[in-house]
């Protein structure tokens, strides 16, 4: 050893002053090594697949396909494809390897021609499956049954191919260039065929059918069909994510809408005894279809009227008795009507303003508004700024006027859709009775009960808006002299339920407030004070809209639970718009607008709300201590 004096300390200080901690370097280096290893593993697997494919043609000509190729490929039973196709195990290996590389944001390091070649391997079974006959005429005919089961094996491989295709376009690169339109168009066609001729008949089969043999066959092959349903659910999730990111033709969107709407209203059994495959298996597909509809609803505003009409005209297909209707399970274990969950999700979705729904696809970190910026700017000045879009101006030069324009559009969308839905159901219910053939009165009762039951849940903030609109309709019916007696009785009954529900919620909130966790004493005391002020009708709007107030707490709570959950994402979007709408209303009404302290709060809000509306993940890196 030799003495080096203070040189080492000086060198360490210099390294640290560059913002790179010596403690972090090993972790960063390890992460890069892990990413490089994942990239190398994927490249090796791709080479292995391509080499196996290159040996197939000569092997077919000579009548001896090499064993290495047989381990990765197999012969299709019924699909009209040239040569062997990739087997499910190979697809699974490819998907896991691609997913690992995508997780490190390194898919762009894979040559495009490699991914294109993998897509060509997926192309054959996908295009051929569009015309695959999956019908089964006689479930007692062993030969027909065996052929049908072989076709289902081909369908399973086709689903694997679709999954691999989606994975090849899941990285942050030019997805449009890597996304052949004819393949994407074939995906809803294949899913539709499999659902129509295989999965839906299996789900709707009952032991009491005139021909119980199909039920018995499905029960016997429930593992095979269960796996197929599970794969179909995964593909619906991948399709929903894909459609929310990539612009596709209207033909593809329309085909997907019809398919998803149909899946939502399939008549499932209500218990395992009546179901050949287990009644819970299909409910995951139903939720997947709801996610598809919600993401199309969010990204394509021009499709919203069509989607709402399709859903509302299908209401008669819903079970309308209490013991059978509530098949949508909530996070807390309760169950509500499928219609209620779907309607709330769609209303919340209309407030989303994510980058995927705007023309600009660039995802850049936008500048944060600073307190020291000119006060005049916060109140509406600063128009002479070069910017590409109104969204850029909203963040780079925030003003109350711009915020108002932006939030009014989003909030009005939610209100209009909520009004349309409530008006449709109420008008149908007014002309039907609880004991009549038409189920609309029972559906309305269930709908109202469900909204009341989730009124206190952070997951479903649209329940309050729907109940408010519902109450307005009921008051109008009750006060109108020309309203029929049945309609007035209905209105008074539902208003009574709402009043009772609000009282129960208030009592529950009082009980919860007294037993709140005191881990964060300051936050707990703050929330208790806000609730006490609310109970005494003395709550100031400034306390409600404060940058670190209850809206922010609710958003961070939802973010911490399931950051990538789509339903909670649209719940967060709804809260942000509701928060911004309350801010705009408060300051335009003159509530503290000229007070210096409130003016500072406004500046803080203008530095927060635009980011929250334009970037759903902004909270992850911008939290209060």
């Amino acid at each position: 050893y030799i003495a080096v004096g203070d040189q080492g300390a000086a060198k360490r200080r210099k390294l640290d002053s560059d913002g790179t901690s010596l403690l972090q370097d090993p972790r960063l280096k390890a992460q890069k090594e892990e990413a490089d290893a994942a990239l190398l593993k994927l490249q090796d697997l791709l080479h292995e697949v391509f080499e196996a494919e290159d040996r197939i043609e000569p092997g077919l000509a000579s009548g001896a396909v090499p064993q290495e190729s047989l381990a990765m490929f197999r012969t299709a039973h019924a699909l009209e494809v040239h040569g062997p196709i990739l087997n499910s195990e190979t697809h699974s290996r490819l998907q896991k390897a691609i997913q690992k590389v995508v997780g490190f944001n390194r898919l762009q390091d894979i040559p495009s021609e490699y991914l294109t070649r993998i897509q060509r391997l997926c192309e054959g079974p996908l295009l051929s499956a569009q015309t695959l006959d999956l019908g089964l005429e006689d479930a007692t005919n062993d030969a027909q049954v065996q052929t049908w089961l072989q076709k289902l094996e081909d369908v399973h491989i086709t689903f694997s191919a679709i999954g691999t295709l989606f994975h090849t376009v899941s990285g942050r690169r030019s997805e449009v260039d890597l996304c052949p339109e004819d393949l994407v168009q074939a995906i809803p066609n294949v899913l539709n065929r499999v659902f129509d001729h295989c999965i839906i008949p299996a789900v709707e089969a009952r032991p009491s059918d005139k021909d119980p043999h199909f039920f018995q066959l499905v029960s016997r092959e429930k593992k095979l069909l269960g796996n197929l349903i599970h794969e179909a659910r995964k593909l619906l999730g991948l399709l929903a994510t894909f459609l929310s990111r990539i612009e596709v033709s209207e033909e593809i969107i329309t085909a997907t809408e019809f398919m998803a709407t149909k899946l939502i209203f399939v008549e499932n059994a209500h218990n395992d005894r009546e179901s050949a495959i287990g009644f819970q298996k299909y409910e995951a597909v139903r939720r997947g279809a709801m996610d598809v509809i919600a993401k199309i609803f969010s990204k394509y505003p021009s499709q919203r009227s069509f989607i709402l009409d399709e859903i509302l005209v299908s209401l008669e297909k819903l079970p309308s008795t209490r013991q059978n209707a509530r098949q949508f399970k909530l996070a807390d274990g309760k169950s509500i009507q499928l219609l209620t969950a779907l309607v709330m999700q769609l209303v919340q979705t209309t407030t989303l303003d994510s980058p995927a729904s705007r023309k600009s696809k660039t995802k850049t970190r936008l500048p944060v508004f600073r307190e020291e910026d000119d006060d005049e700017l916060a109140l509406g000045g600063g128009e002479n700024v070069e910017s590409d879009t109104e969204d850029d101006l909203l963040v780079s030069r925030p003003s109350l006027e711009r915020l108002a324009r932006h939030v009014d559009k989003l909030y009005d969308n939610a209100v209009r859709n909520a009004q349309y839905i409530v008006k449709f159901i109420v008008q149908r219910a007014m002309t039907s009775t609880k004991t009549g053939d038409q189920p609309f009165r029972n559906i309305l009762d269930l709908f109202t009960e469900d909204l009341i039951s989730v009124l206190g849940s952070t997951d479903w903030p649209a329940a309050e808006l729907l109940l408010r609109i519902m109450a307005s309709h009921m008051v109008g019916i009750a006060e109108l002299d020309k309203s029929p007696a049945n309609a007035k009785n209905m209105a008074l009954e539902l208003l009574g339920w709402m009043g009772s529900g609000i009282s129960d919620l208030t009592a529950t909130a009082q009980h919860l407030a007294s037993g709140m966790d005191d881990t964060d004493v300051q936050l707990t005391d703050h929330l208790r004070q806000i609730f006490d002020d609310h109970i005494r009708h003395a709550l100031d709007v400034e306390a409600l809209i404060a940058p670190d107030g209850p809206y922010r707490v609710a958003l961070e709570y939802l973010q911490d639970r399931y950051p990538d959950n789509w339903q909670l994402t649209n719940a967060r979007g709804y809260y942000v718009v509701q928060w911004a709408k309350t801010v705009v209303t408060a300051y335009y009404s003159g509530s503290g607008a000229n007070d210096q302290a409130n003016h500072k709060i406004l500046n803080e809000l203008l530095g927060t709300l635009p980011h929250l509306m334009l970037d759903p993940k902004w909270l992850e890196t911008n939290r209060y201590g």
Side-chain angles (χ1 to χ4, degrees):
Y1 294 90
I2 61 172
V4 294
D6 291 331
Q7 290 179 350
K11 189 172 184 179
R12 283 196 297 275
R13 283 196 297 271
K14 186 176 186 301
L15 286 172
D16 286 347
S17 68
D18 291 336
T20 305
S21 170
L22 291 175
L23 293 176
Q24 291 179 335
D25 282 347
R27 290 197 296 269
L28 294 173
K29 183 179 179 181
Q31 187 180 45
K32 184 179 185 305
E33 289 175 351
E34 190 179 355
D36 290 341
L39 192 66
L40 184 61
K41 184 176 180 180
L42 175 57
Q43 288 177 326
D44 289 344
L45 178 57
L46 291 173
H47 288 145
E48 188 181 346
V49 171
F50 298 152
E51 288 173 2
E53 182 190 19
D54 291 338
R55 296 192 195 100
I56 287 178
E57 287 292 341
L60 289 174
S62 64
V65 178
Q67 194 64 35
E68 295 86 350
S69 298
L70 293 175
M72 294 191 135
F73 289 79
R74 56 156 288 176
T75 303
H77 295 294
L79 294 173
E80 296 180 0
V81 293
H82 174 69
I85 57 178
L86 285 173
N87 59 34
S88 296
E89 292 76 17
T90 306
H91 278 298
S92 179
R93 290 176 62 194
L94 282 168
Q95 291 172 24
K96 289 178 181 177
I98 295 174
Q99 196 169 10
K100 189 81 171 176
V101 171
V102 169
F104 290 110
N105 196 24
R106 295 286 297 275
L107 192 62
Q108 66 271 14
D109 293 336
I110 297 293
S112 297
E113 56 267 25
Y114 286 12
L115 297 179
T116 302
R117 186 169 176 180
I118 287 295
Q119 288 180 350
R120 284 201 299 269
L121 289 172
C122 300
E123 179 179 346
L126 175 54
L127 296 180
S128 176
Q130 293 181 97
T131 56
L132 185 63
D133 182 9
L134 292 171
L136 179 61
E137 293 182 3
D138 185 1
T140 62
N141 187 308
D142 291 341
Q144 288 188 22
V145 169
Q146 189 60 34
T147 301
W148 185 70
L149 293 175
Q150 289 179 342
K151 290 178 181 179
L152 294 190
E153 290 181 19
D154 284 358
V155 168
H156 183 72
I157 291 179
T158 303
F159 278 5
S160 297
I162 296 173
T164 301
L165 178 65
F166 276 132
H167 278 75
T168 61
V169 295
S170 60
R172 294 189 178 186
R173 56 187 298 161
S174 179
E175 294 102 334
V176 177
D177 295 337
L178 292 174
C179 182
E181 184 84 1
D182 59 332
L183 293 188
V184 177
Q185 192 166 339
I187 292 171
N189 295 341
V190 171
L191 287 173
N192 233 338
R193 177 166 287 271
V194 176
F195 279 119
D196 283 347
H197 300 288
C198 178
I199 293 178
I200 293 178
V203 171
E204 293 183 340
R206 301 288 181 267
S208 56
D209 290 343
K210 292 182 180 179
D211 182 8
H213 297 101
F214 183 69
F215 179 89
Q216 294 166 5
L217 170 63
V218 173
S219 299
R220 192 167 65 245
E221 302 294 338
K222 67 164 54 179
K223 183 176 180 180
L224 173 62
L225 285 160
N227 289 336
L228 205 62
I229 292 172
H230 177 70
E231 291 299 316
R233 167 64 185 95
K234 285 167 58 177
L235 290 185
L236 287 175
L238 292 171
L239 179 60
T241 301
F242 178 82
L243 293 177
S244 69
R245 289 169 42 241
I246 308 298
E247 294 285 345
V248 296
S249 68
E250 186 172 350
E251 185 178 356
I252 295 173
I253 292 298
T254 302
T256 305
E257 286 172 350
F258 274 118
M259 175 189 69
T261 304
K262 173 177 59 187
L263 297 180
I264 289 172
F265 292 98
V266 168
E267 187 176 349
N268 193 10
H270 305 302
N271 53 62
D272 283 332
R273 189 180 68 257
E274 293 292 316
S275 174
I277 56 175
F279 80 104
Q280 283 295 345
K281 277 192 171 63
Y282 183 76
E283 292 310 307
V285 172
R286 206 191 300 273
R287 295 188 77 138
M290 287 173 59
D291 284 345
V292 171
I293 287 293
K295 289 185 177 179
I296 293 176
F297 200 82
S298 174
K299 184 177 175 65
Y300 299 95
S302 61
Q303 299 291 323
R304 290 175 182 172
S305 296
F306 173 78
I307 290 173
L308 286 179
D309 288 340
E310 281 295 304
I311 291 169
L312 293 174
V313 298
S314 302
L315 288 181
E316 291 188 5
K317 300 177 183 178
L318 289 173
S320 57
T321 57
R322 280 169 170 75
Q323 60 270 30
N324 296 332
R326 293 190 168 103
Q327 297 183 352
F328 187 92
K329 286 198 175 295
L330 302 174
D332 61 1
K334 295 179 182 177
S335 295
I336 60 174
Q337 195 179 196
L338 170 72
L339 169 69
T340 311
L342 181 58
V343 163
M344 289 190 293
Q345 190 166 348
L346 294 184
V347 171
Q348 290 169 185
T349 296
T350 56
T351 61
L352 288 181
D353 193 30
S354 63
S357 65
R358 300 191 298 273
K359 291 183 179 179
S360 174
K361 296 295 186 295
T362 56
K363 297 183 180 181
T364 57
R365 178 65 60 191
L366 298 169
V368 180
F369 181 75
R370 301 183 304 275
E371 268 187 41
E372 60 266 29
D373 284 345
D374 192 346
D375 286 347
E376 184 180 342
L377 171 65
L379 293 176
E383 293 292 339
N384 297 322
V385 178
E386 291 185 7
S387 183
D388 293 334
T389 65
E390 181 67 20
D391 292 344
D392 293 335
L393 283 172
L394 181 65
V395 178
S396 63
R397 290 293 188 184
S399 70
L400 192 61
E401 181 183 354
R402 287 198 189 93
L403 182 64
R405 282 201 303 267
H406 194 81
V407 74
D408 284 349
K409 176 184 67 176
L410 297 174
Y411 189 75
D412 289 348
N413 285 341
V415 172
R416 277 196 302 271
N417 285 301
Q419 288 175 333
Y420 184 78
I421 293 164
V422 170
K423 183 178 179 181
F424 182 95
I425 300 174
V426 169
Q427 285 183 341
R428 299 299 188 282
M430 285 177 63
T431 58
S432 63
T433 63
K434 292 186 177 183
T435 56
D437 295 332
Q438 291 184 323
F440 287 103
R441 176 61 204 277
N442 284 333
I443 288 174
L444 176 61
D445 286 355
L446 292 167
F447 184 55
T448 307
E449 289 176 351
D450 289 342
L451 292 175
I452 293 170
S453 72
V454 300
L455 185 57
S457 170
T458 54
D459 296 4
W460 304 98
E464 183 269 338
L465 174 62
L466 288 160
L467 280 172
R468 190 149 37 88
I469 294 171
M470 179 87 70
S472 177
H473 274 277
M474 296 302 107
V475 170
I477 293 170
E479 291 182 344
L480 185 64
D481 292 338
K482 295 182 180 179
S483 295
N486 284 343
K488 284 193 174 185
N489 290 337
M490 175 190 75
L492 293 173
E493 183 177 4
L494 296 185
L495 285 171
W497 291 355
M498 293 180 208
S500 176
I502 293 170
S503 297
D504 290 344
L505 179 60
T506 301
T508 301
Q510 287 176 320
H511 174 72
L512 292 174
S514 62
M516 284 175 66
D517 184 7
D518 289 331
T519 304
D520 188 337
V521 177
Q522 186 176 359
L523 175 61
T524 301
D525 289 344
H526 179 57
L527 292 177
R528 279 177 180 154
Q529 184 60 52
I530 289 176
F531 180 69
D532 289 342
D533 290 343
H534 167 70
I535 293 296
R536 294 185 291 105
H537 303 287
L539 178 62
D540 290 331
V541 70
E542 287 81 4
L544 186 64
I545 64 175
D548 58 349
Y551 277 110
R552 178 89 184 212
V553 173
L555 288 170
E556 293 197 355
Y557 167 70
L558 290 172
Q559 178 67 34
D560 287 339
R561 283 174 57 204
Y562 302 102
D564 296 323
N565 181 286
W566 172 252
Q567 192 268 308
L568 296 186
T569 297
N570 60 55
R572 293 199 306 270
Y574 186 92
Y575 277 122
V576 171
V577 170
Q578 192 179 51
W579 186 6
K581 180 68 175 177
T582 309
V583 169
V584 169
T585 302
Y587 280 92
Y588 269 131
S589 67
S591 174
N594 297 318
D595 181 83
Q596 186 175 359
N598 285 324
H599 198 58
K600 181 180 178 182
I601 291 175
L602 175 60
N603 284 346
E604 289 186 52
L605 291 167
L606 291 176
T608 299
L609 292 171
H611 286 281
L612 289 175
M613 285 190 285
L614 301 179
D615 182 3
K617 295 185 179 295
W618 186 80
L619 270 183
E620 293 179 7
T621 53
N622 295 270
R623 296 192 176 218
Y624 293 114

